[in-house]
Amino acid sequence: MANTGTTAVRPFGMRDKIGYMFGDFGNDFTFMLSSSFMMVFYTDIMGVPSVIVGLLMMVARFVDAFTDVTMGQIIDYSKPTKDGRFRPWIKRMCGPVAIASFLIYQSEFAGMPMAFKVVWMFVTYLLWGSVFYTSINIPYGSMASAISPNADDRTQLSTYRSIGATLASLVIGTATPLLAYETVNGNPVLSGSRMLVMSGAFSICAVICYLLCFNLTTERVVIPAKTEKFSFVTLFKTVFTSRSLIGIILAAICLLLTMLTMSGMNPYIFPYYFRNTAAQSAVAMCSSFGTLLIAAPLAPKLSAKFGKKEISIAGSLVGAGLFLICYLVHPENAWVYLGFYTLAYIGMGLFNTVVWAMITDVIDDCEVRKGIREDGTIYSVYSFARKLGQAASAGLVGALLGIIGYTAETQFEPAVQSGIYTIACIAPVIGFVAIALVLLFVYPLDKKTVDNNVKILEARRAEKK
């Protein structure tokens, strides 16, 4: 068979799905550690003011605007090797990204001058996130469309990617609090030396996962390298003339704002409103297992029958309805609220599970319209948009708490507690409805359109053989 379409290799199967799962498992060993514990490490262990740490994260998002798109262009203009176009980057960059992550948590520098610690933090964080993580995450995310041209196969890859991320979240979220803290004067405090060991262990785990991803997956669709000269004008045209890309970007930003606001309110509503830290500990476990056991198995089957856009809208509306009922019922029992939260999270999980497959649908749609395939460019633009959503969500919870007058001194006042409950319920309602509206009125790729695009591209590739 000619090497211009789909190569004559073993058929798509469980090996590819497991391998792709390990890719995001590896990603999140360093990403989840950074997003969950880097702030407290640098404030509590290194003594760096939280304002400076927050500034670093904001600066990194601006740097990402250039590195994400640059990496996307590098991929699109590079020639495929015997291992494919995307997989080689996973093998090349797994070591650098793991080492850079480990260097962030060098607690032995805690006694150094503040200027040294700030420079060290900026350099290592930017090397990890904006350079090395980008150089492995953009190819990894773009790779799904090369593993299989089949839309249902890509949905399964998206599902397994979500499973990998959920498993990493469970490992990081469970192991780090148990092993990285020590008791001092009766209070749990983060240990710098233990955090150093944990970061090293997670970096090793990340490399193992990346190598499993490289060895278990196969790129079947050979995508020729772009030859035309890069132009920022062309890039902006790609973004602003693609309704499908604009739609998935807006929907993903709404998804992140909703999901991160929900989790961001948990440290306030459970201990301060319900006075129940046990339920706070259980919420991450319940939502993760709800995703793994219900949303992940159902999403591919429902998508194949009804469409990814369709089930994402339905799941979002279910989530909005559940939180609205919870607000109106106003349960005084933390476990009842936890039940509403978990069911709503499963509804959101349907969209979160298939969103990565929807990106490959967008890539297909752009190729159908333009005749040019731009996996790296489109995925990098989408990745940067997600980072904007993450950055925005970081300040949203604080802003909402400021509106209700929350401080350490007022946290148990009735008016503030009522405000906490209102935010925890109504903010997700607004977010879920926003997701559904964007998907319904902006994002154009329903099941019929996706299936038709796949047929068009299959016919084009058959003509080239």
Side-chain angles (χ1 to χ4, degrees), residues 416-436:
V416 172
Q417 291 199 342
S418 177
I420 289 174
Y421 190 87
T422 298
I423 293 171
C425 290
I426 298 302
V429 170
I430 296 172
F432 279 124
V433 170
I435 293 171

Side-chain angles (χ1 to χ4, degrees), residues 224-346:
K226 290 175 64 176
T227 56
E228 65 273 16
K229 188 176 181 181
F230 170 71
S231 166
F232 276 106
V233 174
T234 303
L235 175 62
F236 280 109
K237 284 183 178 179
T238 298
V239 176
F240 293 107
T241 62
S242 173
R243 182 179 165 192
S244 58
L245 180 55
I246 292 173
I248 198 63
I249 285 174
L250 293 176
I253 290 175
C254 291
L255 170 67
L256 284 166
L257 287 172
T258 304
M259 182 167 57
L260 296 177
T261 299
M262 286 170 61
S263 61
M265 287 303 299
N266 288 337
Y268 300 95
I269 190 168
F270 284 108
Y272 304 144
Y273 183 84
F274 288 115
R275 314 291 210 278
N276 192 326
T277 55
Q280 179 187 358
S281 177
V283 69
M285 186 74 70
C286 290
S287 55
S288 294
F289 277 111
T291 299
L292 288 172
L293 300 179
I294 300 176
L298 283 179
K301 298 177 182 178
L302 294 175
S303 295
K305 185 173 183 179
F306 301 106
K308 294 183 279 291
K309 169 181 174 175
E310 290 81 357
I311 69 165
S312 297
I313 292 172
S316 298
L317 292 177
V318 167
L322 286 166
F323 265 110
L324 182 60
I325 293 171
C326 185
Y327 176 73
L328 296 174
V329 173
H330 217 92
E332 294 300 322
N333 188 302
W335 299 102
V336 175
Y337 173 85
L338 176 61
F340 278 106
Y341 182 103
T342 302
L343 291 174
Y345 200 92
I346 292 171

Side-chain angles (χ1 to χ4, degrees), residues 194-225:
R194 292 187 183 185
M195 193 66 186
L196 179 63
V197 173
M198 293 290 290
S199 66
F202 289 147
S203 289
I204 293 171
C205 290
V207 171
I208 293 172
C209 288
Y210 284 135
L211 292 177
L212 285 170
C213 176
F214 173 83
N215 285 287
L216 294 177
T217 56
T218 299
E219 292 186 30
R220 294 169 179 81
V221 181
V222 179
I223 304 167

